[in-house]
Amino acid sequence: MPKSRVGPRGKSTSYERIWTVVRRIPAGRVATYGQVARVAGLGGAARLVGYALHALPEKGHEVPWQRVINAQGRISQRGFDGVERIQRRLLEREGIRFDAREKVDLARFGWRGGR
DNA sequence: TCCCTGACTGGTT
DNA sequence: AAACCAGCCAGGG
């Protein structure tokens, strides 16, 4: 798995552009990986968004990574650790609701930002 | 530099 | 509903 990287002289990398977009998602809203990729100008590179979030440093950033879920309205599984559970708790704390099948209603909680 | 991988997605079968 | 699959892109070996 790739690591976080900052380009020379603070030049913007794709990861940074992704993080910048994610920072614009307001509390109480969620965006999909594909949506973030498009807003960041990365076309359909949804997978790259997942990578960029995985590469976030553990501390010192203000990126609400929990607000990015998949197009099915569900939290993507990572295998191993239980980060998914933490993500769900963080979202519920912001008012996001999950149905009995662990899904978020994107029509109701989806972010209508970006353009 | 080539090759593989992956917190994904939308269309087809 | 579910499996398949080609696109997508940068990082690391």
Side-chain angles (χ1 to χ4, degrees), chain A residues 5-13 16-17:
Chain A
R5 183 176 68 73
V6 176
R9 280 172 290 155
K11 181 179 180 181
S12 179
T13 64
E16 292 178 323
R17 281 157 59 190

Side-chain angles (χ1 to χ4, degrees), chain A residues 69-82:
Chain A
I69 61 180
N70 64 41
Q72 310 306 306
R74 326 187 76 166
I75 290 175
S76 291
Q77 301 298 303
R78 284 77 156 170
F80 306 106
D81 59 28

